[in-house]
Amino acid sequence: TQTGEPFMQQTGESSSCGNCNGIGVDAGFPNHTWFLQMVYVTDVSGTSVTFWPPLFWEYKAARSPRAFKFNTTAIYAGLEDLTLNQSVPRFAIMANQNAFCWVSNVWIMNPSGDHGWFSVCVGNELRHTYNYEGQNHGPGSTDACWKCNWASSCVIADNIFIRTHTGGPMVNYGASGNVIAYNFSTNHYHVDGSGVTGLLHPMATSHSAYPHMNLYEGNFGGQIKMDASQGGSSHSTILRNCMISANWW
């Protein structure tokens, strides 16, 4: 991680990131870790460290780059072929401090929090899942979507998201080098504190400083929203998506 790149902003489309100076603390990082990449260390020899994937960005001495170690809780572990109709608080699925893990062919129905998190992860995959509804449709940990928080090189592909809050995938807190591809998303809505319902929410969102170098390809939905409040983002690619600015078919 490093700080100080001139293009980095903690102000997004509609608001500034009030917690950005402490971003990452809950995940084990110190303050000011907006611009980061998660890697998997394959070898350590003296002062030489080998890891995957290669760095996406040049980390300059003048920017005070730092590296932090996390203990992997799971590697090459998967969750497949089941249905979760969930009513307990928070997340239906939490993949935390994982490497190369996957969720495949899982139906996630009506969670009270987010459908799932890839948090402090590298190389995880979400494929062929069906994500439907949520008990809450407000911001925070009840976004009823899939979040990549402090995650790199993850793949979210070939999934269906229906009647969730913020659509499908959301990249957060410096998430980098992730692929969001060939997902279908529709009928998302937001309910604010007064009970007012908004019908057009994005199928994919970049939120909280400072996601970068993520790929959005071949998705179908209402819109893709970058810099969606509480922090900027940059250096991502949006390629061959179909966004129709409508929410009901």
Side-chain angles (χ1 to χ4, degrees):
T1 180
Q2 68 176 354
T3 61
E5 291 289 359
F7 51 78
M8 289 169 55
Q9 299 289 329
Q10 70 182 68
T11 301
E13 180 182 83
S14 60
S15 64
S16 181
C17 185
N19 68 340
C20 278
N21 285 339
I23 232 170
V25 172
D26 289 342
F29 298 105
N31 291 348
H32 303 290
T33 50
W34 304 359
F35 196 85
L36 60 86
Q37 179 182 347
M38 303 300 296
V39 298
Y40 183 75
V41 174
T42 57
D43 185 65
V44 178
S45 178
T47 58
S48 297
V49 179
T50 304
F51 52 82
W52 182 93
L55 293 177
F56 305 145
W57 195 261
E58 180 183 4
Y59 285 75
K60 304 172 185 176
R63 306 294 186 196
S64 302
R66 292 174 288 179
F68 303 94
K69 177 184 176 182
F70 292 90
N71 294 320
T72 305
T73 59
I75 181 171
Y76 297 116
L79 186 66
E80 299 182 355
D81 302 328
L82 56 90
T83 297
L84 300 176
N85 195 334
Q86 182 248 9
S87 60
V88 299
R90 301 296 296 270
F91 323 105
I93 297 174
M94 164 63 90
N96 185 50
Q97 295 180 213
N98 303 152
F100 315 117
C101 294
W102 67 91
V103 177
S104 177
N105 195 30
V106 173
W107 285 41
I108 305 171
M109 317 287 285
N110 203 37
S112 61
D114 292 322
H115 283 247
W117 279 27
F118 287 157
S119 182
V120 194
C121 293
V122 58
N124 283 3
E125 294 191 2
L126 179 76
R127 293 183 184 270
H128 315 306
T129 66
Y130 180 80
N131 303 267
Y132 180 76
E133 256 293 357
Q135 297 176 39
N136 301 288
H137 285 259
S141 60
T142 58
D143 280 312
C145 66
W146 265 92
K147 291 179 179 174
C148 289
N149 299 331
W150 309 285
S152 296
S153 305
C154 295
V155 176
I156 297 179
D158 196 19
N159 303 284
I160 296 172
F161 301 91
I162 297 178
R163 291 181 61 82
T164 61
H165 174 222
T166 53
M170 176 188 289
V171 291
N172 270 326
Y173 305 131
S176 60
N178 300 291
V179 175
I180 298 165
Y182 304 103
N183 300 289
F184 177 84
S185 174
T186 185
N187 294 9
H188 310 296
Y189 63 98
H190 168 78
V191 180
D192 66 18
S194 61
V196 176
T197 300
L199 292 181
L200 182 58
H201 260 226
M203 70 78 52
T205 307
S206 173
H207 177 66
S208 296
Y210 189 85
H212 57 285
M213 293 191 175
N214 297 294
L215 170 65
Y216 303 84
E217 179 177 345
N219 300 287
F220 185 92
Q223 60 176 310
I224 295 174
K225 193 170 185 179
M226 313 300 287
D227 304 345
S229 77
Q230 298 191 18
S233 66
S234 68
H235 297 82
S236 291
T237 300
I238 300 175
L239 176 68
R240 293 195 296 263
N241 299 278
C242 180
M243 299 294 121
I244 66 172
S245 297
N247 214 18
W248 296 90
W249 297 278

